[in-house]
Amino acid sequence: MILTVTLNTALDITYRVRALRPHASHRVSEVTERPGGKGLNVARVLAALGHEVTVTGFAGGATGREVRRRLAAAPGIVDALLPVSGATRRTIAVVDEHTGDTTQLNEPGPAVTPAEWHAFQEAYGELLAGARAVALCGSLPPGVPVGAYAGLIRTARAAGVPVLLDTGGEPLRRGVAARPDLIKPNAEELAELTGSHEPLRAAQDARRRGARSVVASLGPGGLLATTPEGRWRATPPARVRGNPTGAGDSVVAGLLSGLVERLSWPDRLARATALSAATVLAPAAGEFDRAAYGELLGRVAVTAEASAA
Amino acid sequence: MILTVTLNTALDITYRVRALRPHASHRVSEVTERPGGKGLNVARVLAALGHEVTVTGFAGGATGREVRRRLAAAPGIVDALLPVSGATRRTIAVVDEHTGDTTQLNEPGPAVTPAEWHAFQEAYGELLAGARAVALCGSLPPGVPVGAYAGLIRTARAAGVPVLLDTGGEPLRRGVAARPDLIKPNAEELAELTGSHEPLRAAQDARRRGARSVVASLGPGGLLATTPEGRWRATPPARVRGNPTGAGDSVVAGLLSGLVERLSWPDRLARATALSAATVLAPAAGEFDRAAYGELLGRVAVTAEASAA
């Protein structure tokens, strides 16, 4: 199985309102809910691709129970979340029907105690024994040390399990130093890590800092991969319009499934790019359009890239 | 006991954010939750005044379970809510720390089935047997007929239980025609009901439409009571500054407790006005400041009002 870690799981709630005006009262016309947090989104896409997936991290309170209830109904995903005394956060996406724009409100997440964090590390070590790859995804809830991902990467490496890190800021900086197999920063996260706004140069710098491979997601510009086996750029056949929520998580699922299936880098990148574009095209945030995925897969351009130096 | 009916209960959630900007992403710095819906707020104030209170209405889903869990921890309130297959709504108040203003997002509430509505009417009839007064409060969830309050008023009148109605729009219009003992519209609800923006004239019209007594809440202008026993205006000693959320529910609690304690109209109005002002002054939305209430109670001015005609 593939293991995904979501320390800060979420109940993702989407509201539709006619027009969002600060300081006014709004009737929400439509409410949708689903389990969220990057690692759970990655797991959903992996399961849709036919992989066995186990999710771990924390879940607590009424929101955590709702996340687990909905996960139980999702086919192909094994729930190995650990209980936490605090409540799983909500994220609220308010979609303005007039403009189509989204306003996001994110709760911080539960305060994790040292005992809960210790229990997680033990459970994680045991889950790794059955894992072919692991993805560490998203923000850290309050109470989890900023070097958490670095420790989880070392444990995975010691167990011989390939590890992908998808986070930002200081947790990314510390994590990279622990030598993950792959990181998937967006342009902003990569610039924050390296100080360089030139993606190829920044990706090479990230590799020098410890990441074995770097796949930078450049939004409509596609993916830029910098690896020991070579450098590639993957671009979708045309600019796609839609909701980019979850597109990055689909890239992670594409890369991770390609890794365990031992695909070549160009094939992994084509899959990740097609999944990402098919996610933008899907009407529901974070879902992907299967027909569009199949159609796009053969039309992604993957080209070798020259060195930046 | 006093019975309060909240057909559309809520989990009231308050978020603090630094500054709310449409189409941006916000980290919520503080999250608070409490059981909500007008009848539940009224019950909390009645319990704080020392009355035995039973709450009924509907609760369902993860949000409904959370409402009931929190009600169980509230002293002096008996939970007689009925299960419903849909989920109890959330209301989200987003407080902008920069301006102090609040933006409100209200979910519509669960779709109530005919069988659930029938079960409620039966349970309500049984609860009335032990009630000294009943308050029917707030909006109707989807599926409950617009004439719902009219039917509940007739049942209460047949049981000889005094009934207060606090709602707006068409449910208020239909409810008034069923001859409730008391309605408590705000200026806007009263104008919508009668077409008149002159409160005393509108209140007299509302009485002609069927309400035995009308107490109009005029915000900082205090209360205007039009009853078979006379007309009064009650005004707080000074304009109070703070959060008006729940002030109207405190008025209902003041009037209802005064009714079952057989206070005179001027004493009921003084209590309701002082409670309302003490609610505006309390730091937490919907709570009231006990010290301020005691201090304000003796300083509310209640004066007899001449007829509008």
Side-chain angles (χ1 to χ4, degrees), chain A residues 11 13 15 17 21-28 31 33 62 66 90 92 94 99 101-108, chain B residues 13 15 17 21-28 31 33 62 66 90 92 94 96 99 101-108:
Chain A
L11 183 63
I13 301 167
Y15 285 163
V17 300
R21 286 179 301 123
H23 319 321
S25 187
H26 305 78
R27 282 191 183 275
V28 174
V31 182
E33 290 184 13
E66 185 62 14
R90 282 169 288 234
I92 312 238
V94 184
T99 64
D101 285 322
T102 297
T103 305
Q104 190 74 34
L105 296 159
N106 296 329
E107 296 186 10
Chain B
I13 300 168
Y15 285 164
V17 300
R21 286 178 303 124
H23 319 320
S25 186
H26 306 77
R27 283 192 181 273
V28 174
V31 183
E33 290 184 14
E66 185 63 15
R90 283 169 287 234
I92 311 238
V94 184
D96 184 316
T99 64
D101 285 322
T102 298
T103 305
Q104 191 74 34
L105 296 159
N106 296 329
E107 296 185 11

Tab-separated table of all heavy atoms in Angstrom, chain A residues 11 13 15 17 21-28 31 33 62 66 90 92 94 99 101-108, chain B residues 13 15 17 21-28 31 33 62 66 90 92 94 96 99 101-108:
chain	number	residue	atom	x	y	z
A	11	LEU	N	-12.114	19.131	7.830
A	11	LEU	CA	-13.420	18.959	7.212
A	11	LEU	C	-13.556	20.143	6.256
A	11	LEU	O	-13.664	21.297	6.694
A	11	LEU	CB	-14.525	18.966	8.273
A	11	LEU	CG	-15.941	18.729	7.749
A	11	LEU	CD1	-16.085	17.347	7.106
A	11	LEU	CD2	-16.959	18.873	8.888
A	13	ILE	N	-15.402	22.459	3.874
A	13	ILE	CA	-16.790	22.872	3.656
A	13	ILE	C	-16.810	23.928	2.562
A	13	ILE	O	-15.996	24.850	2.575
A	13	ILE	CB	-17.383	23.448	4.967
A	13	ILE	CG1	-17.336	22.390	6.072
A	13	ILE	CG2	-18.800	23.973	4.754
A	13	ILE	CD1	-17.610	22.940	7.458
A	15	TYR	N	-19.282	26.719	0.672
A	15	TYR	CA	-20.542	27.455	0.688
A	15	TYR	C	-20.701	28.202	-0.629
A	15	TYR	O	-19.746	28.810	-1.105
A	15	TYR	CB	-20.528	28.533	1.793
A	15	TYR	CG	-20.694	28.042	3.207
A	15	TYR	CD1	-20.348	28.877	4.266
A	15	TYR	CD2	-21.207	26.789	3.490
A	15	TYR	CE1	-20.508	28.459	5.586
A	15	TYR	CE2	-21.361	26.360	4.804
A	15	TYR	CZ	-21.012	27.201	5.852
A	15	TYR	OH	-21.164	26.796	7.141
A	17	VAL	N	-22.685	31.451	-2.075
A	17	VAL	CA	-23.502	32.614	-1.709
A	17	VAL	C	-23.670	33.470	-2.964
A	17	VAL	O	-22.862	33.382	-3.894
A	17	VAL	CB	-22.871	33.461	-0.580
A	17	VAL	CG1	-22.682	32.633	0.678
A	17	VAL	CG2	-21.545	34.071	-1.017
A	21	ARG	N	-20.325	40.038	0.678
A	21	ARG	CA	-20.054	41.436	1.033
A	21	ARG	C	-19.671	41.492	2.504
A	21	ARG	O	-20.447	41.066	3.366
A	21	ARG	CB	-21.302	42.305	0.790
A	21	ARG	CG	-21.563	42.570	-0.695
A	21	ARG	CD	-22.810	43.398	-0.895
A	21	ARG	NE	-23.978	42.727	-0.326
A	21	ARG	CZ	-24.788	43.227	0.590
A	21	ARG	NH1	-24.582	44.439	1.055
A	21	ARG	NH2	-25.808	42.529	1.039
A	22	PRO	N	-18.455	41.985	2.818
A	22	PRO	CA	-18.054	42.087	4.224
A	22	PRO	C	-19.077	42.893	5.024
A	22	PRO	O	-19.634	43.883	4.513
A	22	PRO	CB	-16.707	42.825	4.159
A	22	PRO	CG	-16.164	42.469	2.817
A	22	PRO	CD	-17.373	42.402	1.916
A	23	HIS	N	-19.334	42.439	6.259
A	23	HIS	CA	-20.208	43.118	7.218
A	23	HIS	C	-21.691	42.956	6.898
A	23	HIS	O	-22.533	43.567	7.537
A	23	HIS	CB	-19.841	44.608	7.382
A	23	HIS	CG	-18.360	44.811	7.408
A	23	HIS	ND1	-17.525	43.924	8.067
A	23	HIS	CD2	-17.538	45.728	6.843
A	23	HIS	CE1	-16.267	44.308	7.902
A	23	HIS	NE2	-16.244	45.389	7.160
A	24	ALA	N	-22.031	42.095	5.923
A	24	ALA	CA	-23.435	41.803	5.628
A	24	ALA	C	-23.761	40.397	6.121
A	24	ALA	O	-22.873	39.642	6.524
A	24	ALA	CB	-23.692	41.897	4.125
A	25	SER	N	-25.054	40.066	6.115
A	25	SER	CA	-25.502	38.725	6.469
A	25	SER	C	-25.867	37.984	5.184
A	25	SER	O	-26.504	38.554	4.300
A	25	SER	CB	-26.720	38.839	7.399
A	25	SER	OG	-27.069	37.571	7.891
A	26	HIS	N	-25.436	36.724	5.074
A	26	HIS	CA	-25.617	35.960	3.836
A	26	HIS	C	-26.342	34.660	4.094
A	26	HIS	O	-26.004	33.944	5.031
A	26	HIS	CB	-24.260	35.614	3.222
A	26	HIS	CG	-23.381	36.799	2.992
A	26	HIS	ND1	-22.691	37.407	3.999
A	26	HIS	CD2	-23.110	37.499	1.856
A	26	HIS	CE1	-22.017	38.437	3.510
A	26	HIS	NE2	-22.258	38.519	2.224
A	27	ARG	N	-27.294	34.340	3.237
A	27	ARG	CA	-27.898	33.009	3.238
A	27	ARG	C	-27.064	32.127	2.324
A	27	ARG	O	-26.850	32.453	1.162
A	27	ARG	CB	-29.339	33.057	2.711
A	27	ARG	CG	-30.285	33.569	3.751
A	27	ARG	CD	-31.744	33.387	3.372
A	27	ARG	NE	-32.547	33.988	4.410
A	27	ARG	CZ	-32.911	33.375	5.524
A	27	ARG	NH1	-32.580	32.110	5.724
A	27	ARG	NH2	-33.613	33.998	6.446
A	28	VAL	N	-26.592	31.014	2.849
A	28	VAL	CA	-25.814	30.068	2.054
A	28	VAL	C	-26.807	29.228	1.254
A	28	VAL	O	-27.716	28.632	1.834
A	28	VAL	CB	-24.964	29.175	2.978
A	28	VAL	CG1	-24.257	28.097	2.188
A	28	VAL	CG2	-23.974	30.025	3.771
A	31	VAL	N	-24.431	23.835	0.523
A	31	VAL	CA	-23.358	23.429	1.436
A	31	VAL	C	-22.839	22.072	0.962
A	31	VAL	O	-23.622	21.142	0.775
A	31	VAL	CB	-23.889	23.265	2.874
A	31	VAL	CG1	-22.757	22.899	3.835
A	31	VAL	CG2	-24.620	24.514	3.345
A	33	GLU	N	-19.594	19.139	1.864
A	33	GLU	CA	-18.561	18.789	2.845
A	33	GLU	C	-17.779	17.598	2.335
A	33	GLU	O	-18.354	16.708	1.704
A	33	GLU	CB	-19.204	18.351	4.173
A	33	GLU	CG	-19.864	19.441	4.944
A	33	GLU	CD	-20.376	18.941	6.286
A	33	GLU	OE1	-19.998	17.825	6.714
A	33	GLU	OE2	-21.161	19.668	6.909
A	62	ALA	N	-15.973	16.553	17.005
A	62	ALA	CA	-17.122	16.273	16.140
A	62	ALA	C	-16.713	16.336	14.670
A	62	ALA	O	-17.170	15.534	13.850
A	62	ALA	CB	-18.238	17.289	16.415
A	66	GLU	N	-16.737	13.296	11.846
A	66	GLU	CA	-17.386	13.451	10.534
A	66	GLU	C	-16.401	13.112	9.406
A	66	GLU	O	-16.783	12.462	8.423
A	66	GLU	CB	-17.917	14.881	10.392
A	66	GLU	CG	-18.723	15.157	9.147
A	66	GLU	CD	-20.006	14.329	9.050
A	66	GLU	OE1	-20.433	13.730	10.061
A	66	GLU	OE2	-20.567	14.263	7.936
A	90	ARG	N	-11.906	22.959	10.555
A	90	ARG	CA	-12.741	23.135	9.372
A	90	ARG	C	-12.021	24.101	8.439
A	90	ARG	O	-11.327	25.011	8.895
A	90	ARG	CB	-14.092	23.775	9.752
A	90	ARG	CG	-15.088	22.818	10.374
A	90	ARG	CD	-16.280	23.579	10.949
A	90	ARG	NE	-15.829	24.270	12.140
A	90	ARG	CZ	-16.427	24.154	13.343
A	90	ARG	NH1	-17.508	23.425	13.516
A	90	ARG	NH2	-15.946	24.794	14.376
A	92	ILE	N	-13.353	26.637	5.307
A	92	ILE	CA	-14.577	27.091	4.641
A	92	ILE	C	-14.194	27.838	3.371
A	92	ILE	O	-13.441	28.811	3.428
A	92	ILE	CB	-15.401	28.008	5.568
A	92	ILE	CG1	-15.541	27.347	6.949
A	92	ILE	CG2	-16.732	28.409	4.922
A	92	ILE	CD1	-16.890	27.105	7.452
A	94	VAL	N	-15.839	29.986	0.520
A	94	VAL	CA	-17.073	30.698	0.192
A	94	VAL	C	-17.006	31.087	-1.282
A	94	VAL	O	-16.186	31.923	-1.665
A	94	VAL	CB	-17.249	31.949	1.076
A	94	VAL	CG1	-18.593	32.616	0.789
A	94	VAL	CG2	-17.127	31.593	2.549
A	99	THR	N	-19.190	36.426	-9.016
A	99	THR	CA	-17.871	36.561	-9.640
A	99	THR	C	-17.206	35.212	-9.899
A	99	THR	O	-16.266	35.136	-10.682
A	99	THR	CB	-16.921	37.375	-8.737
A	99	THR	OG1	-16.732	36.625	-7.516
A	99	THR	CG2	-17.505	38.738	-8.395
A	101	ASP	N	-15.400	33.801	-7.773
A	101	ASP	CA	-14.208	33.774	-6.919
A	101	ASP	C	-14.500	33.097	-5.592
A	101	ASP	O	-15.649	32.985	-5.161
A	101	ASP	CB	-13.712	35.195	-6.653
A	101	ASP	CG	-13.015	35.782	-7.867
A	101	ASP	OD1	-12.302	35.027	-8.543
A	101	ASP	OD2	-13.199	36.978	-8.124
A	102	THR	N	-13.425	32.647	-4.925
A	102	THR	CA	-13.546	31.934	-3.662
A	102	THR	C	-12.809	32.676	-2.554
A	102	THR	O	-11.690	33.140	-2.751
A	102	THR	CB	-12.950	30.517	-3.817
A	102	THR	OG1	-13.714	29.813	-4.793
A	102	THR	CG2	-12.993	29.754	-2.512
A	103	THR	N	-13.464	32.798	-1.405
A	103	THR	CA	-12.838	33.358	-0.210
A	103	THR	C	-12.638	32.213	0.773
A	103	THR	O	-13.562	31.435	1.015
A	103	THR	CB	-13.739	34.442	0.420
A	103	THR	OG1	-14.040	35.409	-0.577
A	103	THR	CG2	-13.054	35.107	1.608
A	104	GLN	N	-11.438	32.089	1.312
A	104	GLN	CA	-11.098	30.929	2.126
A	104	GLN	C	-10.923	31.329	3.592
A	104	GLN	O	-10.284	32.330	3.896
A	104	GLN	CB	-9.793	30.331	1.566
A	104	GLN	CG	-9.402	28.999	2.115
A	104	GLN	CD	-10.264	27.858	1.577
A	104	GLN	OE1	-10.682	27.903	0.420
A	104	GLN	NE2	-10.536	26.878	2.409
A	105	LEU	N	-11.527	30.527	4.486
A	105	LEU	CA	-11.352	30.713	5.940
A	105	LEU	C	-10.831	29.399	6.503
A	105	LEU	O	-11.529	28.386	6.432
A	105	LEU	CB	-12.688	31.076	6.596
A	105	LEU	CG	-13.304	32.413	6.164
A	105	LEU	CD1	-14.803	32.421	6.462
A	105	LEU	CD2	-12.623	33.575	6.881
A	106	ASN	N	-9.616	29.392	7.046
A	106	ASN	CA	-9.013	28.154	7.535
A	106	ASN	C	-8.808	28.203	9.046
A	106	ASN	O	-8.089	29.071	9.540
A	106	ASN	CB	-7.660	27.912	6.857
A	106	ASN	CG	-7.804	27.699	5.357
A	106	ASN	OD1	-8.816	27.180	4.884
A	106	ASN	ND2	-6.813	28.118	4.611
A	107	GLU	N	-9.434	27.262	9.763
A	107	GLU	CA	-9.186	27.155	11.198
A	107	GLU	C	-7.761	26.637	11.399
A	107	GLU	O	-7.208	25.977	10.517
A	107	GLU	CB	-10.196	26.196	11.838
A	107	GLU	CG	-11.633	26.677	11.741
A	107	GLU	CD	-12.599	25.787	12.513
A	107	GLU	OE1	-12.151	24.903	13.273
A	107	GLU	OE2	-13.823	25.973	12.344
A	108	PRO	N	-7.155	26.919	12.576
A	108	PRO	CA	-5.753	26.524	12.767
A	108	PRO	C	-5.553	25.027	12.991
A	108	PRO	O	-4.501	24.496	12.668
A	108	PRO	CB	-5.322	27.321	14.001
A	108	PRO	CG	-6.588	27.678	14.718
A	108	PRO	CD	-7.664	27.759	13.666
B	13	ILE	N	-20.957	29.373	15.204
B	13	ILE	CA	-19.493	29.390	15.192
B	13	ILE	C	-19.035	30.834	14.983
B	13	ILE	O	-19.565	31.532	14.114
B	13	ILE	CB	-18.956	28.496	14.059
B	13	ILE	CG1	-19.439	27.046	14.261
B	13	ILE	CG2	-17.436	28.549	13.978
B	13	ILE	CD1	-19.204	26.136	13.060
B	15	TYR	N	-15.660	33.155	14.210
B	15	TYR	CA	-14.258	33.192	13.775
B	15	TYR	C	-13.724	34.610	13.969
B	15	TYR	O	-14.404	35.571	13.622
B	15	TYR	CB	-14.135	32.882	12.271
B	15	TYR	CG	-14.312	31.444	11.865
B	15	TYR	CD1	-14.557	31.128	10.528
B	15	TYR	CD2	-14.203	30.405	12.773
B	15	TYR	CE1	-14.698	29.810	10.128
B	15	TYR	CE2	-14.355	29.082	12.372
B	15	TYR	CZ	-14.600	28.792	11.050
B	15	TYR	OH	-14.747	27.496	10.644
B	17	VAL	N	-10.744	36.979	12.481
B	17	VAL	CA	-9.697	37.077	11.452
B	17	VAL	C	-9.136	38.497	11.514
B	17	VAL	O	-9.795	39.410	12.017
B	17	VAL	CB	-10.235	36.793	10.020
B	17	VAL	CG1	-10.820	35.396	9.916
B	17	VAL	CG2	-11.254	37.831	9.590
B	21	ARG	N	-11.084	39.967	3.632
B	21	ARG	CA	-11.006	40.484	2.265
B	21	ARG	C	-11.563	39.441	1.318
B	21	ARG	O	-11.051	38.316	1.268
B	21	ARG	CB	-9.543	40.806	1.896
B	21	ARG	CG	-9.022	42.081	2.571
B	21	ARG	CD	-7.568	42.327	2.202
B	21	ARG	NE	-6.732	41.187	2.565
B	21	ARG	CZ	-5.952	40.520	1.734
B	21	ARG	NH1	-5.886	40.859	0.461
B	21	ARG	NH2	-5.221	39.510	2.166
B	22	PRO	N	-12.633	39.783	0.576
B	22	PRO	CA	-13.181	38.807	-0.381
B	22	PRO	C	-12.094	38.325	-1.339
B	22	PRO	O	-11.231	39.101	-1.754
B	22	PRO	CB	-14.250	39.611	-1.125
B	22	PRO	CG	-14.671	40.651	-0.143
B	22	PRO	CD	-13.417	41.016	0.602
B	23	HIS	N	-12.160	37.013	-1.651
B	23	HIS	CA	-11.285	36.370	-2.631
B	23	HIS	C	-9.875	36.131	-2.109
B	23	HIS	O	-9.015	35.718	-2.854
B	23	HIS	CB	-11.255	37.135	-3.969
B	23	HIS	CG	-12.619	37.610	-4.357
B	23	HIS	ND1	-13.747	36.812	-4.172
B	23	HIS	CD2	-13.071	38.778	-4.845
B	23	HIS	CE1	-14.804	37.491	-4.567
B	23	HIS	NE2	-14.437	38.685	-4.966
B	24	ALA	N	-9.634	36.398	-0.801
B	24	ALA	CA	-8.331	36.089	-0.201
B	24	ALA	C	-8.467	34.856	0.682
B	24	ALA	O	-9.569	34.375	0.931
B	24	ALA	CB	-7.834	37.276	0.615
B	25	SER	N	-7.326	34.328	1.138
B	25	SER	CA	-7.302	33.205	2.070
B	25	SER	C	-6.979	33.749	3.458
B	25	SER	O	-6.105	34.602	3.599
B	25	SER	CB	-6.250	32.193	1.607
B	25	SER	OG	-6.311	31.041	2.413
B	26	HIS	N	-7.718	33.283	4.468
B	26	HIS	CA	-7.573	33.823	5.825
B	26	HIS	C	-7.259	32.727	6.826
B	26	HIS	O	-7.908	31.678	6.809
B	26	HIS	CB	-8.863	34.509	6.277
B	26	HIS	CG	-9.351	35.562	5.343
B	26	HIS	ND1	-9.999	35.254	4.175
B	26	HIS	CD2	-9.264	36.910	5.396
B	26	HIS	CE1	-10.287	36.380	3.540
B	26	HIS	NE2	-9.857	37.386	4.254
B	27	ARG	N	-6.306	32.994	7.718
B	27	ARG	CA	-6.105	32.119	8.859
B	27	ARG	C	-7.007	32.606	9.981
B	27	ARG	O	-6.955	33.775	10.354
B	27	ARG	CB	-4.644	32.161	9.333
B	27	ARG	CG	-3.751	31.373	8.442
B	27	ARG	CD	-2.369	31.153	9.014
B	27	ARG	NE	-1.604	30.397	8.035
B	27	ARG	CZ	-1.602	29.073	7.954
B	27	ARG	NH1	-2.295	28.348	8.829
B	27	ARG	NH2	-0.913	28.453	7.027
B	28	VAL	N	-7.838	31.714	10.507
B	28	VAL	CA	-8.719	32.059	11.616
B	28	VAL	C	-7.888	31.990	12.894
B	28	VAL	O	-7.256	30.973	13.161
B	28	VAL	CB	-9.899	31.068	11.681
B	28	VAL	CG1	-10.750	31.328	12.913
B	28	VAL	CG2	-10.728	31.154	10.400
B	31	VAL	N	-11.513	30.369	17.323
B	31	VAL	CA	-12.771	29.700	16.974
B	31	VAL	C	-13.572	29.497	18.258
B	31	VAL	O	-13.052	28.938	19.219
B	31	VAL	CB	-12.512	28.313	16.351
B	31	VAL	CG1	-13.823	27.642	15.924
B	31	VAL	CG2	-11.549	28.404	15.180
B	33	GLU	N	-17.590	28.089	19.626
B	33	GLU	CA	-18.806	27.399	19.200
B	33	GLU	C	-19.810	27.397	20.338
B	33	GLU	O	-19.417	27.273	21.495
B	33	GLU	CB	-18.498	25.929	18.885
B	33	GLU	CG	-17.683	25.701	17.643
B	33	GLU	CD	-17.517	24.213	17.350
B	33	GLU	OE1	-18.238	23.394	17.954
B	33	GLU	OE2	-16.651	23.886	16.534
B	62	ALA	N	-23.822	15.528	12.434
B	62	ALA	CA	-22.680	15.774	13.335
B	62	ALA	C	-22.859	17.100	14.067
B	62	ALA	O	-22.537	17.208	15.263
B	62	ALA	CB	-21.382	15.784	12.531
B	66	GLU	N	-23.293	17.757	18.163
B	66	GLU	CA	-22.452	18.712	18.891
B	66	GLU	C	-23.335	19.704	19.662
B	66	GLU	O	-23.029	20.054	20.804
B	66	GLU	CB	-21.529	19.433	17.899
B	66	GLU	CG	-20.514	20.355	18.519
B	66	GLU	CD	-19.503	19.663	19.413
B	66	GLU	OE1	-19.395	18.416	19.357
B	66	GLU	OE2	-18.846	20.368	20.202
B	90	ARG	N	-25.059	25.205	10.423
B	90	ARG	CA	-24.064	26.031	11.087
B	90	ARG	C	-24.359	27.487	10.748
B	90	ARG	O	-24.858	27.791	9.657
B	90	ARG	CB	-22.655	25.708	10.569
B	90	ARG	CG	-22.051	24.429	11.104
B	90	ARG	CD	-20.798	24.063	10.336
B	90	ARG	NE	-21.199	23.588	9.029
B	90	ARG	CZ	-20.828	22.413	8.505
B	90	ARG	NH1	-20.019	21.615	9.163
B	90	ARG	NH2	-21.254	22.050	7.317
B	92	ILE	N	-21.982	30.998	10.725
B	92	ILE	CA	-20.596	31.440	10.924
B	92	ILE	C	-20.580	32.956	11.003
B	92	ILE	O	-21.045	33.641	10.078
B	92	ILE	CB	-19.695	30.963	9.768
B	92	ILE	CG1	-19.925	29.467	9.519
B	92	ILE	CG2	-18.234	31.328	10.027
B	92	ILE	CD1	-18.777	28.565	9.620
B	94	VAL	N	-18.044	35.957	11.170
B	94	VAL	CA	-16.623	36.263	10.970
B	94	VAL	C	-16.373	37.673	11.497
B	94	VAL	O	-16.872	38.656	10.940
B	94	VAL	CB	-16.238	36.175	9.476
B	94	VAL	CG1	-14.737	36.396	9.300
B	94	VAL	CG2	-16.667	34.837	8.883
B	96	ASP	N	-14.107	40.765	12.125
B	96	ASP	CA	-12.929	41.423	11.568
B	96	ASP	C	-12.248	42.175	12.710
B	96	ASP	O	-12.797	43.132	13.253
B	96	ASP	CB	-13.419	42.377	10.466
B	96	ASP	CG	-12.290	43.067	9.733
B	96	ASP	OD1	-11.340	43.521	10.401
B	96	ASP	OD2	-12.370	43.162	8.494
B	99	THR	N	-11.751	46.121	12.006
B	99	THR	CA	-12.880	47.060	12.061
B	99	THR	C	-13.846	46.731	13.202
B	99	THR	O	-14.650	47.564	13.597
B	99	THR	CB	-13.693	47.020	10.753
B	99	THR	OG1	-14.265	45.699	10.628
B	99	THR	CG2	-12.816	47.304	9.546
B	101	ASP	N	-16.250	44.765	12.850
B	101	ASP	CA	-17.518	44.377	12.212
B	101	ASP	C	-17.617	42.869	12.025
B	101	ASP	O	-16.616	42.161	12.036
B	101	ASP	CB	-17.638	45.049	10.841
B	101	ASP	CG	-17.972	46.526	10.964
B	101	ASP	OD1	-18.763	46.867	11.863
B	101	ASP	OD2	-17.429	47.322	10.176
B	102	THR	N	-18.847	42.406	11.836
B	102	THR	CA	-19.104	40.980	11.701
B	102	THR	C	-19.758	40.680	10.355
B	102	THR	O	-20.669	41.388	9.936
B	102	THR	CB	-20.036	40.507	12.837
B	102	THR	OG1	-19.357	40.720	14.077
B	102	THR	CG2	-20.378	39.035	12.712
B	103	THR	N	-19.277	39.637	9.685
B	103	THR	CA	-19.884	39.142	8.453
B	103	THR	C	-20.518	37.803	8.778
B	103	THR	O	-19.883	36.949	9.396
B	103	THR	CB	-18.817	38.979	7.354
B	103	THR	OG1	-18.138	40.215	7.196
B	103	THR	CG2	-19.446	38.542	6.030
B	104	GLN	N	-21.774	37.620	8.394
B	104	GLN	CA	-22.530	36.446	8.803
B	104	GLN	C	-22.797	35.525	7.608
B	104	GLN	O	-23.179	35.983	6.538
B	104	GLN	CB	-23.856	36.933	9.417
B	104	GLN	CG	-24.652	35.885	10.134
B	104	GLN	CD	-24.062	35.489	11.482
B	104	GLN	OE1	-23.482	36.328	12.173
B	104	GLN	NE2	-24.186	34.227	11.841
B	105	LEU	N	-22.570	34.214	7.816
B	105	LEU	CA	-22.879	33.197	6.804
B	105	LEU	C	-23.805	32.177	7.452
B	105	LEU	O	-23.401	31.508	8.405
B	105	LEU	CB	-21.598	32.507	6.326
B	105	LEU	CG	-20.585	33.392	5.604
B	105	LEU	CD1	-19.192	32.775	5.637
B	105	LEU	CD2	-21.027	33.619	4.153
B	106	ASN	N	-25.037	32.064	6.981
B	106	ASN	CA	-26.015	31.175	7.598
B	106	ASN	C	-26.420	30.053	6.649
B	106	ASN	O	-26.945	30.314	5.569
B	106	ASN	CB	-27.270	31.961	7.997
B	106	ASN	CG	-26.977	33.011	9.057
B	106	ASN	OD1	-26.092	32.831	9.895
B	106	ASN	ND2	-27.693	34.113	9.015
B	107	GLU	N	-26.173	28.801	7.075
B	107	GLU	CA	-26.640	27.658	6.290
B	107	GLU	C	-28.168	27.595	6.380
B	107	GLU	O	-28.750	28.096	7.336
B	107	GLU	CB	-26.016	26.362	6.831
B	107	GLU	CG	-24.501	26.317	6.695
B	107	GLU	CD	-23.909	24.976	7.132
B	107	GLU	OE1	-24.679	24.010	7.347
B	107	GLU	OE2	-22.680	24.892	7.262
B	108	PRO	N	-28.809	26.974	5.385
B	108	PRO	CA	-30.277	26.964	5.376
B	108	PRO	C	-30.906	26.045	6.424
B	108	PRO	O	-32.018	26.292	6.873
B	108	PRO	CB	-30.635	26.502	3.967
B	108	PRO	CG	-29.423	25.785	3.465
B	108	PRO	CD	-28.241	26.395	4.150
